[in-house]
Amino acid sequence: LLMLRRLPLRRWVSVITSMALALGLLGYAAVDVELTDYVWQTFTRSGLYESDYVAPDSVEITFPEQKRNLVYIMLESMETTYLSEDLAGGSDVNLIPELTALAQEGINFSHNDTVGGFHSTNGASWTIGAIVAQTAGIPLKTPADLDDWQNGYGKDGIFLPGVTSINDILDEAGYYTSFLCGSDANFGGRKTYYTTHGTDEVFDIFTARRDGIVPPDYFEWWGMEDLNLFAYAKQELTEISQQSEPFAFTMLTVDTHHIGGYQCVYCRGEFEEPYEQSIACSSRQVLEFVNWLKAQPFWDNTTVVITGDHLSMDNGYFERNVAKGYDRMVYNCILNSPVTSDNTKNRDYCAVDLFPTTLAALGCTIEGDRLGLGVNLFSNRPTLAEKLGFDRFNAELGQASDYYVENFHTVPEA
C-alpha cells in the first residue's frame, strides 16, 4: 500500500521536473538566439525616423563644377576580421594584404587606430539590405506579408518607391548610372531596386552571356565567378567612360559568399581553409582591378569606394578560426577623393553613413551633412551610433516603424 501511494507522487515530481527543465532550456535557447530581442523589437514602435531621418529632397546637395565619376565596389562578406591579430584583426595571418594596403593608401574610416571598419546592423546584414542601407541611408524593412522577408521583395516591380537613393540623386544630376553583379540581378529584388531608383542599366549573368563575356549556357557558382565579373567591369567602364556625361558604376562581387567561398583558377592554395583561399584571392583581384582603373584616362576625375556589404554568414569558419567575442567589422576604403578628414579613426558608424559620405567623396556639399539616417563622415558631426550608442541605435533600427511603412513602402502624398 505504501508503494502504491509513492508512485503517483514520484510521477508528479517527474512531470514537474521535466516541465521545469524544458522551460529552462527554452528560455536559454531564446536568449542564445536573441529571440527575446527579436520579439521585443518587432512589437515595439520606433520614433527614430520621426526624430532623425533627413529626406534627401529636403536639403540642398551641391555638386562641384566638374562632376566626378564614381566606381563603387561592394565586396561580398568582406570584413576587417581577415586582418592579422597584430593589425587588430582576428586572423593568424593577414588574409587581405592588398585591401589593407589600399585602406592605408586611401581613406579608411575605422573603429580603431589602424585599419578598421563599421558595424553591421539590423536591416543591413544581408546583401540587398546592405545595398539599401549604403545607398539610401535606411535599413531594409520589407512588407509584413512577404513569405521570404529577406529576398522576396521587388518581384512585383515595386521597391521602396518613397525612397530617394544615391542613384536617384546622381541621375537627376545628369549622371549615367549602372549596376553589375555576377548572378541573376533579380535575386533579392536588386534589379527592381536599381531600375526604379535612377539606374540606367543593370548588368548580370544574363547580359554577360549576351555580351560575350561568358558562353551562352555558362553558369558557375552563383552565375559567374569574379574573374569574369572584373573582366566585364573593365569592358563596360571602357565603353561608359567614352560618353559625355559623368558616370556612377556600382559592382558587387560574389566569390567570398558563404559557405566556403568559390575557389577560382587564380586561387593559390596557400591556406588550408577553402574560404581563406577565396578571401585572399578576392583581395588580389580587387588590387589588380584598382591598378587597371589607375591606368585609365578617366582615373583623375574618378572616386573609388570599396566596401564590404555585410559580415560573413559562414559561421562555421569563424567558430573554427576566430576568437569568441571578437568584434567583427565591415571593411571600407575610399580612393582618389577630393576631400579628406582628420577624423577617420575610432569612429562608430554603420552602413547608413556611407550614403552621404559617398556623395561627399565626389566633392558634393550637403546641407547639414546628413541624409537618411546617415552622417557625412568627412564632417565632424557625430553619427547616430555615436550619438545614441550603437546598441540603442541598432535596436531602434530593428523596431517596427509606422513612418517607414507610410513613407517608404508607398509614395507619400504631396
Side-chain angles (χ1 to χ4, degrees):
L1 181 62
L2 182 61
M3 182 65 70
L4 290 174
R5 289 176 179 173
R6 286 179 178 175
L7 281 175
L9 179 61
R10 288 179 179 175
R11 189 177 296 117
W12 278 108
V13 170
S14 298
V15 169
I16 292 172
T17 302
S18 299
M19 290 178 63
L21 288 172
L23 289 171
L25 288 171
L26 182 62
Y28 175 81
V31 172
D32 189 51
V33 301
E34 299 180 342
L35 178 62
T36 51
D37 288 344
Y38 173 78
V39 172
W40 180 79
Q41 290 172 3
T42 300
F43 292 99
T44 303
R45 288 290 187 270
S46 171
L48 184 67
Y49 296 90
E50 289 85 347
S51 61
D52 289 292
Y53 177 77
V54 175
D57 56 3
S58 70
V59 298
E60 185 174 354
I61 302 171
T62 306
F63 283 80
E65 184 175 352
Q66 183 181 16
K67 295 171 182 173
R68 296 181 63 79
N69 305 311
L70 171 66
V71 175
Y72 200 102
I73 308 170
M74 192 174 292
L75 305 177
E76 172 66 44
S77 304
M78 190 55 67
E79 308 183 20
T80 57
T81 311
Y82 307 140
L83 275 69
S84 54
E85 293 177 356
D86 62 302
L87 294 173
S91 301
D92 292 336
V93 297
N94 187 2
L95 301 174
I96 52 171
E98 297 83 7
L99 288 174
T100 305
L102 287 173
Q104 293 168 335
E105 170 191 338
I107 297 168
N108 167 239
F109 290 101
S110 173
H111 68 291
N112 57 31
D113 289 324
T114 61
V115 174
F118 60 90
H119 284 288
S120 186
T121 65
N122 287 317
S125 60
W126 72 106
T127 298
I128 185 58
I131 287 173
V132 170
Q134 293 185 25
T135 60
I138 59 171
L140 177 57
K141 294 178 180 292
T142 53
D145 58 351
L146 285 181
D147 292 332
D148 181 358
W149 64 270
Q150 282 190 317
N151 295 305
Y153 191 35
K155 293 180 180 180
D156 57 356
I158 298 173
F159 203 116
L160 298 179
V163 160
T164 298
S165 77
I166 189 170
N167 276 13
D168 287 315
I169 295 168
L170 295 175
D171 178 63
E172 187 176 344
Y175 277 70
Y176 173 85
T177 61
S178 57
F179 171 73
L180 165 66
C181 63
S183 55
D184 180 353
N186 287 298
F187 181 76
R190 295 171 299 185
K191 188 171 184 177
T192 300
Y193 175 66
Y194 276 103
T195 56
T196 59
H197 287 283
T199 304
D200 294 294
E201 193 159 6
V202 171
F203 305 99
D204 64 0
I205 178 60
F206 300 111
T207 63
R209 294 171 181 170
R210 178 199 69 192
D211 294 338
I213 297 297
V214 295
D217 60 347
Y218 193 86
F219 196 92
E220 188 73 16
W221 192 228
W222 283 75
M224 66 179 180
E225 65 274 51
D226 289 346
L227 63 88
N228 286 311
L229 183 82
F230 283 114
Y232 201 7
K234 292 175 183 178
Q235 176 177 295
E236 292 306 320
L237 279 167
T238 299
E239 182 176 334
I240 291 168
S241 65
Q242 303 302 314
Q243 301 174 166
S244 59
E245 63 263 55
F247 64 83
F249 181 85
T250 301
M251 60 184 294
L252 170 68
T253 68
V254 73
D255 281 5
T256 47
H257 201 284
H258 75 291
I259 296 171
Y262 179 83
Q263 287 76 58
C264 73
V265 295
Y266 293 160
C267 289
R268 297 175 181 173
E270 69 264 54
F271 303 106
E272 292 184 6
E273 288 269 7
Y275 199 39
E276 293 176 342
Q277 310 287 357
S278 301
I279 294 164
C281 189
S282 178
S283 179
R284 291 192 296 269
Q285 289 190 71
V286 172
L287 177 61
E288 191 279 330
F289 181 65
V290 169
N291 286 338
W292 178 85
L293 290 172
K294 290 179 177 179
Q296 304 312 303
F298 56 79
W299 169 257
D300 288 343
N301 194 43
T302 299
T303 295
V304 178
V305 177
I306 308 174
T307 177
D309 54 355
H310 52 74
L311 297 178
S312 172
M313 300 176 191
D314 198 335
N315 296 327
Y317 170 78
F318 292 90
E319 289 174 1
R320 292 190 300 272
N321 296 283
V322 178
K324 187 175 182 180
Y326 177 81
D327 199 7
R328 295 161 57 190
M329 297 286 174
V330 184
Y331 173 90
N332 76 99
C333 81
I334 300 174
L335 302 170
N336 214 23
S337 169
V339 294
T340 58
S341 172
D342 58 2
N343 188 25
T344 63
K345 302 303 180 185
N346 298 304
R347 300 300 305 272
D348 197 353
Y349 69 105
C350 311
V352 296
D353 298 302
L354 295 183
F355 176 30
T357 301
T358 299
L359 284 169
L362 293 176
C364 297
T365 56
I366 304 167
E367 179 187 358
D369 285 311
R370 296 199 55 232
L371 292 175
L373 295 176
V375 169
N376 171 18
L377 295 171
F378 287 100
S379 74
N380 289 320
R381 291 187 66 110
T383 67
L384 289 180
E386 291 169 334
K387 178 182 175 182
L388 303 176
F390 172 72
D391 290 340
R392 177 185 167 189
F393 179 54
N394 192 37
E396 292 262 8
L397 293 180
Q399 292 170 11
S401 168
D402 295 330
Y403 183 101
Y404 192 109
V405 174
E406 294 167 3
N407 290 274
F408 304 149
H409 283 168
T410 59
V411 178
E413 296 182 3

